[in-house]
Amino acid sequence: MLFPHSAPSIAETAATPPLEVRGLTVAYNRKPVLWSADYTAPARGLIAIVGPNGAGKSTFIKACLGLVPAVSGTVKVHGGPVAKRRALIGYVPQRETVDWDFPASALDVVAMGRYAMIGWCRPVGRAHKEAARACLDRVGMADFADRQIGQLSGGQQQRVFLARALAQEARVYFMDEPFAGVDAATERAVIQVLRDLDHAGRTVICVHHDLQTVADYFDHVLLLNTRVVAAGPVATTLNAETLRQTYGGRLGPGDVPMAGRDRAPDPGRDLAPLERGVA
Amino acid sequence: MITTQEFLQIDLPAMTAAVLACVCCALVGNFLVLRRQSLLGDAISHAILPGIVAGFLITGTRAGLPVILGALAAAVIAGVLIEAVRRFGRLDGGAAMGVVFTVMFAGGVVLIEQGAARAVDLDADCVLYGQLEAILWLAPQTWADLADPAVWADLPRQVVTLALVTLLCVVCVVAFAKELAITSFDPALATTLGIPAGLFHHAVVVLVAIAAIASFEAVGSILVVAMLICPAATARLLTDRLPVQLWLSVAIGGLTGAGGYLLGAFGPSILAGGPADALNAAGMIATLAGVLLTAAILFAPRHGVLARNRPRHRGAAGHQMGKDVVSDAVTH
């Protein structure tokens, strides 16, 4: 058992899908960045959200979590609205969204994952500090517990974020590009943690930017380009036709499995600033 | 030399007011610096002026609820105006703040001129550097009098207000230390945990406004702005731990308040070797705060300029941090 205590029982939520999205539409400045998205996450397996820049991948996650307002649509996590399922939800934002000069140690940041469990106005007790330390250990960062977070490398910072998510002891994890800009050691650490979570029955939904590793790391894929293009098991969903629909037939030469094309302007480029505006 | 009676009646209450104002502004100022919203402190402490003057002109007294309500109303109006200018003027937040608070401050100054024309006791000087010298505690005559409860009942109104506001700030920061930290560092995660980041942002603004209003009359706008930023920025350079930074900023604020007051009051006569005019206390305190920040920028153990240029302790991240805090601080 990965988490010995305090996680809600798996049996009580087993009958409902981890994430159920219906007609989710999000617009920034009246321009839709996500258009009537429907998605039901499978009970088992790691899930990747894939699509070009500006396709609404981060927006999809943020709208699911209620961090950006949706124009319309419903989101259910294990059968209930997000507001009533917060204890089941873990979140790893993009690394650039926070100020790493903040006067906090790696351990302080990981302990933040337990603030909801600790409750209002109470200090972080010894038991929670130990739990946070154990999570740092799981991502190979135990030796850096007392280091100020700005003194860590990008990959180490990403692992601190992952440890914080582990400390949340959630059932459904939303991760925004956990592999972005990390070193090889961190990439291995991250994928190991994701697989452990999967084996422990947790749901992990990752925005993922690297088409080459989707099939290696993930079991399911959600192809997104403002609309949901396709969703399902990687083996049957990720093919030349769906990728062409997602990326508009303009993949770069490095973006296997559709090799051999000239690098063309990013189809989602005009929407990218809108998405960054709320990041 | 001054007598005990003079010290107890003139210097002690003024110095206490200065220390309390410095402490409460320094404490809440941490969260402006941490949120990279230092300009917001500037905006609030200037934008409340027309509210204070309006409350004063209506009631004819600097004391009491009308002035505080006027200041709070002005702070709220400033918030609404900043948002409106930002949205409809298509300006960035900093520019919108800059426009609104200077216009409101100017409006306050115009109002003061109107009041002065009506021979009301309020002028532009006391707006800038307060009226510490007007804070008198006439009850005690000797040190022994301090044991008498009746003497304490006569404590100046400004000192009582500042003590209560300082207590409020300390209680809020201690009680919500964890929540203030996470909403400052990662508001998105805080929201997903059910800790409302937006609400805490507004709570910080309100707390800053309260500290600024309480301090304004005693020490004036220059010192409020300096104290919201300087002690927190100085403390940040000296430590990498948030709790340490908070208490360090309080200590720096308090010591700056006391030290600046004493330097201003007694420095000139000591230097001249005889009776000399005292320097303006609020100005002296703000100057001392700037001197301490400069010293921290140069000599801080890890983040100071000297430490960073020493090859052995060089760290790319530490480098960046020092720069950011300093650039936050020097805009004031």
Side-chain angles (χ1 to χ4, degrees), chain A residues 3 9 12 25-26 33 53 68 137 146 159 166 185 218 228 234:
Chain A
F3 302 117
S9 96
E12 86 189 72
T25 298
V26 179
V33 269
N53 289 338
V68 296
D137 194 32
D146 296 322
R159 280 190 267 169
L166 291 176
F218 295 94
V228 173
V234 170

Side-chain angles (χ1 to χ4, degrees), chain A residues 32 66 78 119 124 213 252:
Chain A
H78 279 299
V124 183
T213 52

Side-chain angles (χ1 to χ4, degrees), chain A residues 108-145:
Chain A
D108 293 337
V109 170
V110 176
M112 286 179 185
R114 305 186 70 81
Y115 279 10
M117 281 174 242
I118 295 168
W120 287 83
C121 301
R122 290 188 197 174
V124 183
R126 181 188 293 266
H128 289 289
K129 274 193 184 138
E130 285 315 308
R133 202 177 288 276
C135 293
L136 267 178
D137 194 32
R138 283 176 47 76
V139 298
M141 288 286 292
D143 293 342
F144 298 89

Side-chain angles (χ1 to χ4, degrees), chain A residues 101 103 119 121-122 150 164, chain B residues 178-179 186 192 236 242 317 324:
Chain A
D101 291 337
C121 301
R122 290 188 197 174
R164 186 177 69 177
Chain B
K178 195 162 100 275
E179 287 77 11
D186 194 344
T192 67
R236 178 65 190 89
L242 181 56
D324 289 351

